[in-house]
Amino acid sequence: MSMDPVTAALDVGGKLIDRLWPDPAQRDQAKLAMLELAQKGELAEFVGRSEIVKTEAASSHWLAANWRPITMLTFCSLIVARWFGWAAPNLSEAEYLKLWSIVEFGLGGYVVGRSVEKIVPAAAAALKGSK
């Protein structure tokens, strides 16, 4: 019988917290924060979004697999172009700030997602080996 994705994320997350945080107070705080995300439904949303990204990235169709990176590169290009004085004529300061927020969020999500993708299998194997 397999666990639903949120329960699995809570299980693996709890085990990782136990391993990574030496201070019991910090461990409890990290677990509480993770449970609050689950209770608010944000953890389920995160798991669902990650499944969508994984499905897109695994697509055999080139555009479906690459539209997110292309979008991020486009937004980054607009920001860099502005730094060099090549501003798009119709983009306001507020729009540039919004682009920067999207790039920060997108790059942060990509880096965290890729890190988790690489670390979780190794962590799960280590946790199984320690039992």
Side-chain angles (χ1 to χ4, degrees):
M1 184 170 130
S2 107
M3 284 190 238
D4 70 280
V6 173
T7 303
L10 285 171
D11 184 48
V12 171
K15 289 176 182 175
L16 287 173
I17 288 169
D18 287 340
R19 294 260 179 175
L20 298 175
W21 274 270
D23 180 24
Q26 289 178 336
R27 272 197 307 259
D28 292 343
Q29 188 176 18
K31 286 182 180 180
L32 182 61
M34 189 174 58
L35 288 171
E36 286 175 358
L37 286 175
Q39 185 179 23
K40 291 178 187 175
E42 292 175 19
L43 188 58
E45 184 179 337
F46 176 72
V47 169
R49 287 181 181 187
S50 69
E51 290 299 318
I52 290 170
V53 172
K54 283 184 353 188
T55 302
E56 287 176 353
S59 174
S60 61
H61 191 276
W62 184 86
L63 187 58
N66 292 298
W67 77 269
R68 287 177 194 268
I70 291 169
T71 302
M72 293 303 294
L73 286 171
T74 302
F75 289 170
C76 286
S77 298
L78 287 170
I79 292 168
V80 170
R82 183 157 195 255
W83 289 342
F84 286 109
W86 304 315
N90 297 328
L91 286 178
S92 69
E93 180 75 22
E95 290 169 322
Y96 276 108
L97 292 174
K98 184 65 177 172
L99 284 174
W100 183 247
S101 295
I102 292 169
V103 168
E104 285 179 324
F105 180 76
L107 290 178
Y110 178 77
V111 169
V112 169
R114 292 294 293 168
S115 298
V116 168
E117 183 181 340
K118 300 286 184 192
I119 292 170
V120 167
L127 291 172
K128 285 181 183 177
S130 68
K131 286 185 180 179

